[in-house]
Structure formats: C-alpha cells, structure tokens
Amino acid sequence: MNLIPKQENAVYYLKDSETKELIYGGAAGGGKSALGVLWIIEQCQSLPGTRWLIGRSKLKALKETTLNTFFELTTKLNISSQFNYNAQSGIIYWNNGSEILLKDLYAYPSDPNFDSLGSLEITGAFIDECNQITYKAWQIVKSRIRYKIKEFNLSPKLLGTCNPSKNWVYSQFYLKDKNGTIDNDKQFIQALPKDNPHLPKSYLESLLSLDENSKQRLYYGNWEYDNDPAKLIDYEKIQNIFTNEFVPSGEAFISADIARFGSDKMVINVWKGFRVVEIFTLAKSSITETAQAIKDLALKHSVPLNNIIADEDGVGGGVVDILRCKGFVNNSKAMLVENQVVQYQNLKTQCYFKLAEMIQNGEIYVDCKDGNVIDELSKELEQVKRDKIDSDGKLRILPKEKVKELIGRSPDYSDALMMRMYFCFKQDFFFF
C-alpha cells in the first residue's frame, strides 16, 4: 500500500532508535488513522507474540471509526485470515501470538489515575484523536510500554494522531516544534488535506465550505483557532491584550497568585488601572520571601495596602497574614452586583467571567515583552471556558485540575490576572 510523503516521514521516526513519542496530523484528511493502523498491523506481523494498544477517548467512537479503518485496510491487504477479533474482550488475536488491545482512555471520575491500566504491559501504542484524552492518560500509556522491548531490541513508541486543539498536544508538541524547543525523543509532523493526493475534490470543497473557525483548523491546520463553544475569550482578543496600549493608566493595584506548597510558580501582577505594568515571578519561594517580594513591589509602584490582593487558599494564607492585605478565597460566594445575587458557582468563577468580558472588550493591557510569558498566559486564557455548558445551574468554569490536565501545568499567570477583578465588585460587597 502506497503511503503519502508525510506518512513516510512519520514511518521514519516510528522505526528510528531515538523517537519515543510522535504526534501526526494537525488537520483533516492527512491519513491519520490509516497511518496508525498500518503501523500496528506491521508490528504485529513482524514481531510475533507482542502486545499493542489502540486507544481513543471513548471505546464506542474507537469501534465506529478506527476499528473500521483497521478492517478496511486488512481487507485491502488480504490478511483478514491472519487474525480473529473478539468483540466482547475488545482484543484482536493474531495467529502468530500478537495481540491488539482496544482501550477506552477517557478520564472517568471513578478512575482519575487510570488504575484500570495499572497492570497493563504493552509493546507500543497508537492513540487516535489523542487531543481528546488528558495528558495524564497519554503519560500513563507511555509508562506501560515495556512488554518484550528488550527481547526484540525495540525503542518504546507511542503514536498519537489528532486535529488542531488548544490543549497539551498544542503546548507539548506543536508549539515546541514550532519554536524549535521540542525534546529530542519527541516529534511532530503536520499533515494537511493538500498533502494527500488520494482525497476527492468534493472532500476538499466540503472542508472549505465550513465556518471560518473549522476551516482554519481542519483545512489549513491552524492551531491558533479553537472550536470549543464553551470558550469565553476569542484567540484574537487574547493576543490584543499585549498591544492594547490605549488602555488608560489609573489607580495602582497588586494581584498575586501564591505558589501552593512549592508546586506552582508565584506570579505577582502590578497594575495601573487595568494596565499590567510589571509581572514578577518566583519559583518555590517561602512565605516570607513571597511577602517581601510583594512589599518591595508595592513600595516601588506606590501601591496602598488595601489595593493588594493575594490568593488565600493553601500557603497563600500565610502571606495574607504577614501582609494583612486582602485575601482571595477561590471557592467563596460570588459578590453582589447592584444589590443582586449573581448566579456564579463561586468568587473565582465570577472574576474569570469579568476578566473574559474585559478582554473581549479590549479593556486590558499587559505590558510584557517576554515571549515565554506571553505564550504561557495566552494558553492559560484559552482554557477559560464554561464548564457543564448544558447545565441550567450556576455558571461554572473549567476547574483548575482540568486546566492542569489540558496544558500540563498550573494556570498561574491567568489566575493572577483574574484576582484583579475582585476590585471591580468590592464596593457592592462592602455595602452589605
């Protein structure tokens, strides 16, 4: 079976001794599923007695899509007699002793640590539409690749295919490849519809007729577009915060996201009105060091104590005690607005909705020239999304733990921005 050039490029990395993780795709019609299935088939045939995994976020979707691709290709290759598929166990048994396990990799609340995969040992894995699983699921599968690796002198291989998505695939693979900072044992290959000469013209025309967001993602492979209807801030509006120099200066404030037990970074924002004039970060700092850093910035920028707010959850409470500044409790009740109770899950949700509104309206300016900070803050703000969007209950945003799974770290920069919004509501709050 003839491969397109991008698929051949991927095969090179799937056979070398250095690459351990490969992401292939980044648009529709690039032969993503076919590549993964063909690679697994070849491995099963050439390495008797080995065990491979084909996974997807939901097993039902895997059986309706990826598994059908498997059957189509094995029929074309005339090798259907070489294996048997047990639908009940979800295992494809090859005549030479090799196996393919079909796995559901969704992050179920009942199994957040994927303990169901705890005793699994595999030789390699292909995860289709890997953008739909969490980074933890990806890492867990990677950690299980050890079966008969030494016996066949293999390099562990984990292949993922996907369309553009603003989550861990974007930050860990696409962006690092774009910036030339991707790890030596990781590779990213973008395949576009125009790279596949086997696609009918009608398919390409159907992609071009999609809405602008979908067209940018699925035809042009533009990773900067997000088609999630739950998002609160458009990508272009996020980029504007770094160029909105027209935002007027004003009263000085400080908002600080405190590193929790040394696991995250501390971020301090100094504001003049709604202009961020300085961003100060500190990693794994003590409570006293953090408090002193805030004091120094307050003195430097003439920020009064009652205009300083810091995250009071966890170790942040110690900083608030030392400074005697305002403490931000994420899960506290939302504040009143014009004497009315607002339907937000908590204070953090209320402030993030306000931040999103102001960014959408071009009312925030962040004076920052550090490319790494700009990239990290942009990725965090893109994850400011409604949670349980179909629910009729109180407004919610994606919880912090979910955001961590999506981007691979804590959203410290955006949390520090969000806390500044507290002062937009404080007068209504103190009236009562």
Side-chain angles (χ1 to χ4, degrees), residues 143-157:
S143 71
R144 301 298 181 255
I145 302 176
R146 54 179 178 263
Y147 186 67
K148 294 195 174 183
I149 291 293
K150 290 185 178 180
E151 180 178 331
F152 287 99
N153 193 28
L154 301 174
S155 174
K157 300 286 183 179

Side-chain angles (χ1 to χ4, degrees), residues 37 40 52-56 62 66 70 100-103 126:
V37 167
I40 293 291
W52 302 81
L53 179 148
I54 296 180
R56 192 163 173 167
L62 190 156
T66 318
F70 174 86
I100 300 175
L101 314 180
L102 307 180
K103 287 294 182 180
F126 160 47

Side-chain angles (χ1 to χ4, degrees), residues 33 37 56 58-72 128-129:
S33 297
V37 167
R56 192 163 173 167
K58 291 294 184 72
L59 189 60
K60 182 175 183 292
L62 190 156
K63 291 181 177 179
E64 292 174 348
T65 56
T66 318
L67 184 60
N68 281 337
T69 300
F70 174 86
F71 289 136
E72 290 171 7
D128 206 3
E129 299 298 343

